[in-house]
Amino acid sequence: MPLHFNDLDIISETAGIRSALIVPCNMCPAITVAVREKKPFMQMFKNPFKSAPFENYLGKLQTRLKKNGVKTKVFKSRLYHQWFMCMWTAGRQKELKRQAEPYEAVIVLGCDSATETVHGAVNPNGCKVIEGMEFTGIMNAKLKFKLPGNISFADCRVIPSPQKEKRKLRLVDRAVA
């Protein structure tokens, strides 16, 4: 049951900022990107610790930010148990705090829980926390394994978040009134 995300406008959020650490959750956002691009989430025998579509996404994000004068680095989480940002250990959060110190902002790619994890770790430094994605719903999909070790998701549907739908309805009602 991975969460589904839409990208937010990071460029406008980083206006005036010269440096940012990109902190991705490597599970739900990576699955969202792989499904959106219709590519395997992982290729176990090619690179068992990275999602190629998500790595490309991160590279393109860094390029866009660099064009706007923002120096970036990606906070890497290589081990599987570190992929779920919402369940990071105190030691992982301490490492994030250490690596975030020289940056003006941290860009979180993940859910509200991931943002809270990052906020708790870096906010004492006075670092601005920017959400790079927004939760839209839960993905319903079939996990597919295809030789030579590709892990993909098929027949994906997004079950919209009830809170998101209520918010949209309120915005429409206000616009009509």
Side-chain angles (χ1 to χ4, degrees), residues 40 42-47 145-151:
M42 290 186 69
Q43 296 174 305
M44 295 302 292
F45 298 115
K46 190 172 184 182
N47 195 336
F145 182 79
K146 185 177 178 183
L147 292 175
N150 291 347
I151 298 174

Side-chain angles (χ1 to χ4, degrees), residues 112-159:
D112 292 346
S113 180
T115 301
E116 184 60 30
T117 297
V118 171
H119 194 273
V122 304
N123 202 25
N125 295 352
C127 200
K128 180 178 180 179
V129 177
I130 299 169
E131 291 183 281
M133 294 180 150
E134 72 174 337
F135 167 70
T136 59
I138 298 170
M139 276 194 269
N140 181 294
K142 294 177 185 161
L143 186 64
K144 297 283 185 179
F145 182 79
K146 185 177 178 183
L147 292 175
N150 291 347
I151 298 174
S152 300
F153 294 87
D155 301 328
C156 294
R157 295 176 300 148
V158 176
I159 312 306

Side-chain angles (χ1 to χ4, degrees), residues 3-6 110-112 133-138 161 163-164:
L3 302 179
H4 182 268
F5 297 95
N6 282 337
C111 65
D112 292 346
M133 294 180 150
E134 72 174 337
F135 167 70
T136 59
I138 298 170
S161 160
Q163 292 83 4
K164 196 84 168 148

Side-chain angles (χ1 to χ4, degrees), residues 25 35 58-59 75 92 99 121 125 134 140 166 172-174:
C25 180
V35 167
L58 292 170
F75 183 76
R92 192 77 187 132
Q99 286 194 33
N125 295 352
E134 72 174 337
N140 181 294
K166 287 178 186 176
V172 168
D173 288 344
R174 286 183 194 156

Side-chain angles (χ1 to χ4, degrees), residues 77-112:
S77 295
R78 300 198 190 284
L79 303 175
Y80 293 129
H81 72 281
Q82 296 173 346
W83 281 21
F84 296 90
M85 195 186 310
C86 57
M87 296 185 281
W88 275 357
T89 62
R92 192 77 187 132
Q93 292 179 41
K94 186 177 178 180
E95 178 61 18
L96 171 61
K97 180 180 180 179
R98 186 187 69 74
Q99 286 194 33
E101 285 178 0
Y103 294 91
E104 293 177 67
V106 173
I107 299 169
V108 181
L109 302 176
C111 65
D112 292 346

